[in-house]
């Protein structure tokens, strides 16, 4: 079964084709393409929803044609269509959902609405030697910071969430405060490479109390105060970036360890844009080794938004016989715990 995946929940248009065997047990990515709107939103310092929607309209069909050509397919070879239906920006989601649902209807093939965060969560399963449930998932993106106990694919129990900013959002806002261009997260991480450890020591929020929740907005304020009190030099910026990154990485690692111990799971799965962070990857590799378990990440390009994870998650659900009705629906807010089991 060849599944066309469409991602338009925020500021990237992603398209991919994932092919599964008839029983859904084996599969391979046939082609994928991504168009990022970063340049479009950069001058506004953040994503402008209406511009995002209009750009998805412009880019989606050409990207579908390009992806099908790369897979050596025509549209008639598509056996099912998966599209992100939430969570995300309503207008942006509607572009992918309308195109995906209509395409499936015209082709008389099934369509499946995919939860964006389930897409992220399952992305590591596309890699070689994939992890199998039960495992703990750390989802760290621009909009989410969640620890989830995964008993089976499709059975998601939320252990912890952020009370304010998401980890990626904290990276982006901190970067902006220090004068870096949108989206500053990756640039802040790059700057931190040249910063000294412990030149600035920020707190590890909420690690001194039980539970799995996160809070990053106070950390952002600490960084702002440190930046304002500094001489504003490149080296101060790098040192502060390093202090901030270490605080976020440490905080995430402490909560991951807690979740692994509490659930008894031996595998940690990490996904979402911040999962591309090198220091986070190294820290969690070390943690997994200490606990005698393993940690699994998607390759960095599949940590951030992409069509491949949507095609893959959709392929699993279509192979299990799930599909949508004929209406077009999006869910800008959508609780993963409400998803049907596979
Ligand atoms: O998963 P994603 O592409 O989009 C959402 O679903 O939100 O995540 C984007 C987020 C942004 O906040 C970005 O700054 C952050 O991931 N990010 C990083 C890195 N690469 C992307 N944060 C820290 N270090 C990185 N290397
Ligand atoms: Zn995402």
């Amino acid at each position: 079964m060849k599944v066309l995946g469409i991602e338009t929940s925020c500021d990237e248009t992603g398209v991919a084709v994932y092919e599964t065997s008839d029983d859904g047990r084996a599969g391979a990515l046939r082609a994928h393409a991504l168009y990022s709107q970063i340049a479009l939103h950069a001058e506004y310092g953040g994503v402008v929803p209406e511009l995002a929607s209009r750009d998805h309209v412009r880019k989606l069909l050409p990207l579908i044609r390009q992806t099908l050509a790369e897979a050596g397919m025509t549209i008639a070879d598509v056996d099912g269509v998966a599209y992100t239906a939430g969570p995300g920006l309503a207008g942006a989601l509607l572009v992918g959902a309308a195109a995906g649902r209509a395409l499936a209807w015209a082709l008389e093939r099934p369509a499946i609405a995919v939860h964006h965060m389930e897409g992220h969560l399952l992305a590591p399963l596309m890699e070689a030697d994939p992890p199998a449930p039960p495992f703990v998932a750390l989802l760290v993106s621009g909009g989410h910071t969640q620890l989830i106990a995964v008993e089976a694919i499709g059975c998601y129990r939320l252990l912890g969430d952020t009370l304010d900013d998401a980890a990626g959002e904290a990276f982006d806002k901190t970067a902006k405060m220090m004068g870096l261009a949108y989206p500053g997260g990756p640039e802040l991480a790059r700057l931190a490479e040249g910063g000294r450890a412990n030149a600035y020591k920020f707190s590890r929020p909420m690690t001194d109390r039980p539970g799995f929740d996160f809070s990053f907005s106070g950390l952002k304020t600490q960084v702002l105060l440190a930046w304002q009190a500094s001489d504003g030099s490149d080296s101060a910026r790098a040192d502060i970036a390093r202090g901030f990154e270490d605080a976020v990485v440490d905080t995430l690692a402490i909560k991951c360890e807690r979740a692994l111990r509490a659930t008894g799971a031996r595998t940690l799965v990490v996904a979402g844009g911040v999962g591309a962070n090198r220091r986070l990857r190294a820290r969690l590799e070390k943690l997994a080794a200490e606990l005698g378990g393993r940690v699994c990440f998607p390759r960095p390009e599949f940590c951030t938004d992409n069509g491949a994870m949507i095609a893959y998650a959709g392929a699993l659900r279509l192979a299990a016989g799930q599909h949508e009705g004929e209406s077009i629906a999006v869910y800008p807010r959508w609780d993963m715990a409400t998803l049907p089991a596979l």
Side-chain angles (χ1 to χ4, degrees):
M1 177 180 224
K2 298 184 190 75
V3 177
L4 177 71
I6 297 173
E7 157 63 35
T8 63
S9 68
C10 190
D11 60 348
E12 342 254 359
T13 316
V15 176
V17 174
Y18 193 89
E19 183 172 4
T20 52
S21 57
D22 289 342
D23 61 4
R25 286 176 182 276
L29 188 63
R30 289 290 169 233
H32 67 101
L34 188 77
Y35 175 79
S36 171
Q37 302 179 351
I38 282 178
L40 176 69
H41 301 291
E43 67 173 297
Y44 304 98
V47 179
V48 182
E50 182 59 24
L51 294 184
S53 310
R54 292 183 202 182
D55 211 44
H56 287 307
V57 171
R58 272 192 291 271
K59 296 293 170 9
L60 183 55
L61 294 184
L63 213 56
I64 291 176
R65 285 192 197 100
Q66 177 190 330
T67 309
L68 290 173
E70 275 169 29
M73 292 164 58
T74 68
I75 192 72
D77 298 322
V78 170
D79 299 307
V81 182
Y83 52 86
T84 305
L89 302 170
L93 288 166
L94 270 170
V95 178
R101 189 66 202 84
L103 205 51
W105 186 81
L107 293 168
E108 299 183 15
R109 303 278 151 67
I112 185 81
V114 174
H115 191 292
H116 180 81
M117 298 312 292
E118 181 179 53
H120 275 302
L121 190 151
L122 298 178
L125 277 65
M126 282 189 283
E127 304 296 342
D129 190 18
F135 54 72
V136 167
L138 172 70
L139 299 182
V140 271
S141 70
H144 292 79
T145 305
Q146 296 181 328
L147 270 166
I148 293 170
V150 180
E151 270 105 48
I153 306 296
C155 290
Y156 306 120
R157 184 163 56 88
L158 185 67
L159 298 171
D161 207 339
T162 180
L163 304 183
D164 39 60
D165 293 345
E169 187 181 4
F171 263 93
D172 294 337
K173 287 181 174 172
T174 301
K176 194 173 182 177
M177 270 166 12
M178 293 203 290
L180 305 180
Y182 160 86
E187 178 62 10
L188 189 84
R190 203 188 56 75
L191 272 182
E193 301 278 329
R196 292 169 298 161
N198 299 319
Y200 286 86
K201 180 91 179 165
F202 300 116
S203 62
R204 275 59 176 153
M206 300 191 57
T207 52
D208 57 351
R209 65 185 94 165
F212 308 98
D213 286 336
F214 303 94
S215 164
F216 292 109
S217 77
L219 185 57
K220 194 179 60 194
T221 310
Q222 285 179 37
V223 172
L224 178 64
L225 295 176
W227 173 240
Q228 285 172 342
S230 77
D231 60 7
S233 64
D234 286 349
S235 63
R237 204 196 316 251
D239 287 345
I240 293 173
R242 175 66 191 270
F244 169 79
E245 184 180 63
D246 281 345
V248 173
V249 166
D250 233 21
T251 304
L252 293 173
I254 290 167
K255 296 287 164 96
C256 285
E257 175 169 3
R258 215 176 263 179
L260 287 168
R261 290 190 190 280
T263 58
R266 299 175 64 81
T267 304
L268 176 66
V269 161
V270 183
V274 184
N277 184 275
R278 282 170 54 184
R279 214 175 296 277
L280 179 67
R281 291 170 89 99
R283 178 77 162 78
L284 295 179
E285 292 280 7
K286 186 164 160 271
L287 172 68
E290 282 164 10
L291 297 178
R294 68 186 281 227
V295 58
C296 305
F297 304 93
R299 68 197 80 166
E301 73 175 311
F302 291 162
C303 282
T304 45
D305 289 349
N306 64 86
M309 66 185 194
I310 304 304
Y312 177 67
L316 292 187
R317 290 196 173 272
L318 286 169
Q322 298 178 10
H323 56 84
E324 301 309 308
E326 293 191 345
S327 62
I328 297 166
V330 296
Y331 314 95
R333 292 177 168 273
W334 189 2
D335 180 359
M336 258 176 96
T338 63
L339 292 177
L342 269 170

